[in-house]
Amino acid sequence: MAKQNTVFKDAFNRCLKLLAETSSLPSEPELGTALGVSRTTVRAILTRMEELQLLAWDKRAKVVLRQPKPEDYYPAEETDSLSDIIERSFMRRILAGGAEPGMQINELELARDIGTGTTSVREFLIRFSRFGLIEKRPNSHWILKGFTREFALELTEVREMFELRSAASFAALAPDHPAWADLDRIETLHHEILADIDNRYKEFSELDERFHLLVHTSSSNRFIVDFYDIITIVFHYHYQWNKTNARERNARALEEHLDYIAALRSRDPARIETACRRHLKSARETLLQSIQ
Amino acid sequence: MAKQNTVFKDAFNRCLKLLAETSSLPSEPELGTALGVSRTTVRAILTRMEELQLLAWDKRAKVVLRQPKPEDYYPAEETDSLSDIIERSFMRRILAGGAEPGMQINELELARDIGTGTTSVREFLIRFSRFGLIEKRPNSHWILKGFTREFALELTEVREMFELRSAASFAALAPDHPAWADLDRIETLHHEILADIDNRYKEFSELDERFHLLVHTSSSNRFIVDFYDIITIVFHYHYQWNKTNARERNARALEEHLDYIAALRSRDPARIETACRRHLKSARETLLQSIQ
DNA sequence: AAACTGTCTATTGTGGATAAAAGACAAAAT
DNA sequence: ATTTTGTCTTTTATCCACAATAGACAGTTT
């Protein structure tokens, strides 16, 4: 099959939720904007809803006939884009399955393993190569450089340089800059999670990403912001497969964040640098610990 | 045609030069190593040389029969890899041909223009996207972000951070580290070019790349070294299409380099920082001037 | 007049096919 | 005992085809 209709299926599922909340759906362009898809896909969704007797559709009239049932939804496995599937599958192989540095990566084998064409695997590897974990031998295989101690040290070195600079420029943002409001919301969430840490410590990972991305974004430098993608992917997969002491680690990091946030709000460069350094140091230690 | 045999043609041309210098060629594996290709390609080369009556080949005996003539070589256009062709073609479009920021980039149109398949163009764009000049809309076109003043400022900001740090770590290299010998050779070349600047100023661009790459490499950080690719490609194409005052600019940069090299050799952190900053500042100004 | 729908075209994402190139292995030569 | 060669298999680089998706335009509705 040439292309999976995952965009359609995913948008259809999201549209079912919209449908559950009203008695009639809006115009096609409006739905397209709401779902982030083209009118072509919107019309495919409406057609399908008509088939399922969910909707009476005649030109502008889109009357909801009944509430969606669980079986109306497409299963979650079918809504993942191919590149997500490849990414997960690849990360599992190299992070979870003890892959040795120096190992060869074979496009064809990977594609057969995942059950997909070589083109998609190849494109994934090219995109992924910017993370510095693999390297291409032209006309030949890829080499896995490995999630090693050196990798973590190099990554955190750059991260610290970038974040210190971003934090400094955060303090220089105008008082009415929207980032301050974002910071407020993030701080509130920190307090909420800390108050119920035993049950909610798992929410830290996502909040951590949101906070640091906000700081990096204030650098207004695309290279700094883009670099944060590497941090994100490393920490994302890393947290998934290393859950020792997660509760304590996350509680400590949340406290450090609060200190860091207070420093940002003080706009005092020295205080910001101290708080930022302290947090980055412990983040680095956490990462290094889990590697060996 | 599935794949162009540019590897073969390029290696064949290089092998002709080896052949011109001896009366018999070495073993197949040895030739493979010398040319950086596999034995399969070496054997294709030997076969072709036999056809052209350049070589009498029987197992280990590879006796040179005559000197290569100009018409024995494959034309230079046929030895460029497809990705190089796409890169050049694309860079000409976006740097030379006044491409507006925000412009859409169309894979199919680009492919037709260059006379190649869409897959190769697509892979090029994915690889190229890490340079921050283009951005993908999923399921849709690419957007050209443009070689703008902001781009140059963001690029140089990171460059300066990275180079200052690399220069500092350069001073910390052991006295017998090979980088010091490389630095000597580079310094000598600077003096040679300066002594005959009117004729040789065009050699600066390549020397500049070599010098800064050497400095960046001493950081031992793959992210810092990889980032230098962006600098390289920007300056490479930039110099090609902006030749105003090249002689004066290059002479000045060479002097700055010599000062910078002397500072590195002094191992005095403060002096290194001063020299490095001064040179980076003027490099930034040169780049910015040429943008507007 | 502005927004919406019907219809049609163009482009992207992905699998499959194929020549070029890499590389494995055993037999042969030094 | 290495190294080299002959032969064969596997993988990569590239083109092409086609379904999914985006997007353009004219006619229709409010």
Side-chain angles (χ1 to χ4, degrees), chain A residues 10 13 28 34 63 71-72 80 87 92 94 131 134 146 158 179 203 226 244 254 262 277:
Chain A
D10 180 58
N13 283 357
E28 296 171 15
V63 182
E71 61 265 34
D72 295 325
D80 290 339
E87 180 188 301
R92 190 166 43 238
I94 73 162
F131 296 150
I134 58 174
V158 174
E203 294 173 42
D226 286 354
T244 45
L254 285 163
R277 275 192 198 282

Side-chain angles (χ1 to χ4, degrees), chain A residues 40-254:
Chain A
T40 307
T41 304
V42 168
R43 289 172 68 86
I45 291 171
L46 294 175
T47 304
R48 174 75 181 153
M49 287 186 163
E50 216 180 5
E51 277 170 28
L52 291 178
Q53 314 265 340
L54 279 156
L55 196 71
W57 178 29
D58 182 46
K59 300 183 180 176
R60 302 182 182 218
K62 306 182 190 74
V63 182
V64 175
L65 295 180
R66 64 171 177 84
Q67 288 289 302
K69 285 179 259 178
E71 61 265 34
D72 295 325
Y73 288 85
Y74 285 101
E77 317 85 79
E78 292 179 22
T79 62
D80 290 339
S81 83
L82 184 51
S83 49
D84 288 343
I85 295 171
I86 295 176
E87 180 188 301
R88 269 204 302 282
S89 178
F90 179 78
M91 291 304 277
R92 190 166 43 238
R93 276 173 80 118
I94 73 162
L95 277 189
E100 297 301 315
M103 202 188 73
Q104 296 184 8
I105 299 166
N106 186 310
E107 293 174 5
L108 199 56
E109 187 193 323
L110 210 54
R112 275 191 298 247
D113 230 51
I114 304 177
T116 180
T118 47
T119 313
S120 318
V121 169
R122 203 178 151 77
E123 288 181 3
F124 166 77
L125 291 171
I126 294 172
R127 259 180 283 123
F128 189 77
S129 66
R130 83 189 192 84
F131 296 150
L133 282 165
I134 58 174
E135 203 175 66
K136 176 113 187 93
R137 294 293 141 94
N139 288 309
S140 183
H141 50 258
W142 293 80
I143 302 267
L144 178 64
K145 295 170 94 180
F147 192 76
T148 61
R149 191 177 169 78
E150 289 78 51
F151 175 81
L153 287 172
E154 293 167 29
L155 181 74
T156 50
E157 181 183 10
V158 174
R159 179 197 189 173
E160 285 162 26
M161 250 188 279
F162 282 175
E163 185 146 350
L164 281 167
R165 172 161 303 222
S166 302
S169 56
F170 199 106
L173 293 176
D176 60 343
H177 192 285
W180 292 110
D182 290 337
L183 192 67
D184 288 342
R185 278 190 290 278
I186 287 174
E187 186 179 27
T188 309
L189 264 170
H190 274 76
H191 286 300
E192 287 173 16
I193 295 181
L194 266 176
D196 187 17
I197 185 75
D198 287 330
N199 297 312
R200 297 182 64 180
Y201 72 92
K202 283 177 183 159
E203 294 173 42
F204 170 72
S205 163
E206 203 185 315
L207 185 59
D208 183 64
E209 186 195 325
R210 214 174 125 192
F211 172 55
H212 288 287
L213 183 57
L214 178 68
V215 174
H216 279 74
T217 306
S218 78
S219 72
S220 301
N221 186 309
R222 72 190 75 183
F223 300 106
I224 294 181
V225 176
D226 286 354
F227 184 80
Y228 194 67
D229 285 354
I230 310 180
I231 309 275
T232 302
I233 201 166
V234 165
F235 279 78
H236 174 75
Y237 284 102
H238 177 255
Y239 278 130
Q240 270 196 329
W241 286 300
N242 279 287
K243 294 183 173 162
T244 45
N245 295 324
R247 207 199 64 88
E248 294 73 22
R249 257 190 348 222
N250 293 356
R252 185 177 160 202
L254 285 163

Side-chain angles (χ1 to χ4, degrees), chain B residues 42-95:
Chain B
V42 167
R43 288 173 68 87
I45 291 170
L46 295 174
T47 305
R48 173 75 179 152
M49 287 185 163
E50 216 180 5
E51 277 171 28
L52 290 178
Q53 315 265 340
L54 279 155
L55 197 71
W57 178 31
D58 182 47
K59 299 184 178 172
R60 305 185 178 216
K62 306 183 190 72
V63 182
V64 175
L65 296 180
R66 64 171 176 85
Q67 287 291 301
K69 286 178 260 177
E71 61 266 34
D72 294 325
Y73 287 85
Y74 285 101
E77 318 84 79
E78 291 179 25
T79 61
D80 290 339
S81 84
L82 184 52
S83 49
D84 288 343
I85 294 171
I86 295 177
E87 180 188 301
R88 268 204 304 280
S89 178
F90 179 78
M91 291 304 276
R92 191 166 41 237
R93 276 172 79 119
I94 73 160
L95 277 188

Side-chain angles (χ1 to χ4, degrees), chain B residues 2-3 5-8 38 40-41 106-108 122 136 139:
Chain B
K3 199 177 182 177
N5 56 350
T6 55
V7 171
F8 159 73
S38 75
T40 306
T41 304
N106 186 310
E107 293 174 4
L108 198 57
R122 204 178 153 77
K136 176 114 187 92
N139 288 308

